[in-house]
Amino acid sequence: MGYRVKAEVMDAEAMDRALTRIAHEILEANKGAGTIGLVGIMTRGADMARRLAERIERIEGTPVPVGSLDISFYRDDVATHLSPEVHATDIPFDVESRAVVLTDDVLYTGRTIRAAMDAIMDYGRPSAIQLAVLVDRGHRELPIRADYVGKNVPTARTERVKVLLAEHDGKDGAVILEDDGKGE
Amino acid sequence: MLASRHIMTMDDVTAEEIVHILDTAESFAEVNQRRIKKLPTLRGRTIVNLFFEPSTRTRMSFEIASKRLSADGVNFTASSSATVKGETLLDTAKTLAAMSCDLVVVRHKYAGAPQMLAEVMDCSIVNGGDGVHQHPTQALLDLYTMRQSLGKLEGLRVGIVGDICHSRVAGSLVPALRKVGATPIIIGPPTLMPARPDVLGAEVAYDLDEVLPSLDVAYLLRVQFERAARMPFPSNREYASLYGMNAARLAKLPPHAVVMHPGPMNRGVEITADVADSARSVILDQVESGVAVRMAVMYLLLGGADSGAAA
């Protein structure tokens, strides 16, 4: 099945502003950067975590620890689906008694976040887990919500949302893709 | 996801799949460093360790790997089972199949036992060593250890020394090395070489001292006295002086080269204690890698089973 772009929901400037706002919101909610750690879900969430950390350091002047998390081994559909590629998980700080801010590009069913929370718990007991996403597209299948949202985008289940990041895709932005009706 | 449902010989995996298994094992190695060394990945799956031959590290390694993945592990030991009452391998297999398990790890003194099980059981089979034939997960963990210690596999020269003809480790390691572009060299006395050493596809040498300076890995095999029909050399001392790894021979290896052994060791025969315990020995790294590599094999064989059948 092929996909074509239905709409652009975020351009590079909008993403830049959203990330800056989220950085400020994280600092406001946690009263500074002293007790937080960012953990990005592979692969685009990890890039997002690094960008947020840069902004937080610019604003507060203190570095924030950043990690990346691969949730392949925690998925609830291992029996039917294997991640083609497993990335290394690297959390270079102690999550114990820290507020861990999980970051991911798109929030959809919530199953990825459920798996990520289980994974974080295996590293220790954080004082809190918060969630930051660039796009919330709805259709949750679990009682999960984001604390920091770049943009809420109403979508149909048949559509796909793709967040583009310069690190992977050459440019920043977010688009809704729909079936182009051409089949295979 | 692997193309084959089983890992019975090195023929069941391609060169790309070997690299995929080793990469996946690296992620599991990270888990093994954590304080909580457990993943929910294979929750509810049943893995049976069917061991008809004695084993310490292989059985424990598979058992720990299945526990770390939250699978339910069941251990079968021939000496405390219906085998002593005369039950055949096939009947044991059918009995197990009736209890619907997902993966069976089998070790047996006869080559081909895993293939026999695969015919009557509807689950994945992993060969944990069959007679003098193959021991594929050992070869995979050896490749993993070589890649960790030397940074690459392609182009490595690996000297496999000693009891080649009784060695299922060599039986899997030689084809595994060839698949990933390394050069295996089998070295040993003619009495411990297979009847046709050339069919293995390795370079063949009889003088260890001549080969040592060109090796990246010196892989010592255990002399399997229990499999030999009669003493294959006049004395342990003579064997040690011609083919045993000792401090003098270690000095002839290039400075980057490492020493490996699949265990258990006959200290003083194929390897001296000072070499086995030296900084150049990665023997315990092999044991450590074993858990991560077996986790990767279980994960890749049992995960995605349904989509594999549909695709």
Side-chain angles (χ1 to χ4, degrees), chain A residues 13-31:
Chain A
E13 286 78 38
M15 184 185 286
D16 189 55
R17 281 192 289 271
L19 283 168
T20 304
R21 172 173 55 78
I22 291 172
H24 280 285
E25 286 176 354
I26 290 172
L27 287 170
E28 190 182 10
N30 293 287
K31 302 185 174 62

Side-chain angles (χ1 to χ4, degrees), chain B residues 143-292:
Chain B
L143 293 184
Y144 183 92
T145 309
M146 288 175 205
R147 199 172 79 164
Q148 292 291 108
S149 320
L150 300 164
K152 59 165 187 177
L153 290 172
E154 208 177 331
L156 291 184
R157 284 178 62 82
V158 179
I160 304 171
V161 188
D163 189 354
I164 310 292
C165 69
H166 296 119
S167 177
R168 55 194 174 207
V169 175
S172 285
L173 188 55
V174 168
L177 287 166
R178 294 183 62 199
K179 278 187 189 218
V180 298
T183 309
I185 303 119
I186 52 174
I187 307 146
T191 49
L192 288 174
M193 279 287 180
R196 294 274 313 276
D198 51 311
V199 292
L200 268 175
E203 287 178 25
V204 182
Y206 296 96
D207 185 345
L208 177 60
D209 292 296
E210 213 166 75
V211 185
L212 281 174
S214 74
L215 296 180
D216 298 295
V217 178
Y219 194 111
L220 291 314
L221 294 172
R222 183 171 68 88
V223 179
Q224 303 195 43
F225 295 106
E226 77 278 14
R227 289 190 205 277
R230 54 196 154 85
M231 191 70 175
F233 37 76
S235 72
N236 284 351
R237 210 167 139 189
E238 177 171 329
Y239 180 82
S241 77
L242 286 173
Y243 293 101
M245 184 52 75
N246 52 35
R249 292 212 166 94
L250 188 62
K252 288 187 188 167
L253 281 171
H256 69 273
V258 293
V259 176
M260 298 175 71
H261 191 296
M265 291 180 271
N266 295 316
R267 284 176 185 254
V269 184
E270 68 265 5
I271 189 166
T272 57
D274 55 338
V275 174
D277 302 327
S278 77
R280 304 282 296 280
S281 147
V282 294
I283 294 170
L284 289 175
D285 300 72
Q286 289 172 269
V287 178
E288 187 185 343
S289 317
V291 175

Side-chain angles (χ1 to χ4, degrees), chain A residues 15-134:
Chain A
M15 184 185 286
D16 189 55
R17 281 192 289 271
L19 283 168
T20 304
R21 172 173 55 78
I22 291 172
H24 280 285
E25 286 176 354
I26 290 172
L27 287 170
E28 190 182 10
N30 293 287
K31 302 185 174 62
T35 58
I36 60 172
L38 301 179
V39 174
I41 298 171
M42 287 301 240
T43 54
R44 287 185 175 72
D47 297 316
M48 182 185 162
R50 274 190 289 278
R51 290 191 188 192
L52 280 173
E54 283 165 23
R55 282 173 168 75
I56 290 173
E57 186 168 353
R58 266 211 302 276
I59 300 163
E60 288 286 290
T62 40
V64 193
V66 188
S68 57
L69 184 65
D70 185 286
I71 54 121
S72 304
F73 303 142
Y74 291 88
R75 297 176 64 102
D76 56 11
D77 57 355
V78 171
T80 53
H81 171 91
L82 272 195
S83 313
E85 206 180 331
V86 180
H87 302 273
T89 290
D90 176 29
I91 302 184
F93 58 90
D94 190 0
V95 300
E96 200 80 22
S97 309
R98 244 175 215 282
V100 170
V101 182
L102 278 175
T103 63
D104 203 2
D105 50 353
V106 180
L107 177 57
Y108 182 29
T109 61
R111 288 178 191 267
T112 300
I113 307 303
R114 196 281 309 157
M117 289 195 289
D118 277 355
I120 292 289
M121 298 290 191
D122 279 355
Y123 285 88
R125 184 178 184 275
S127 62
I129 296 180
Q130 301 165 3
L131 174 61
V133 297
L134 277 170

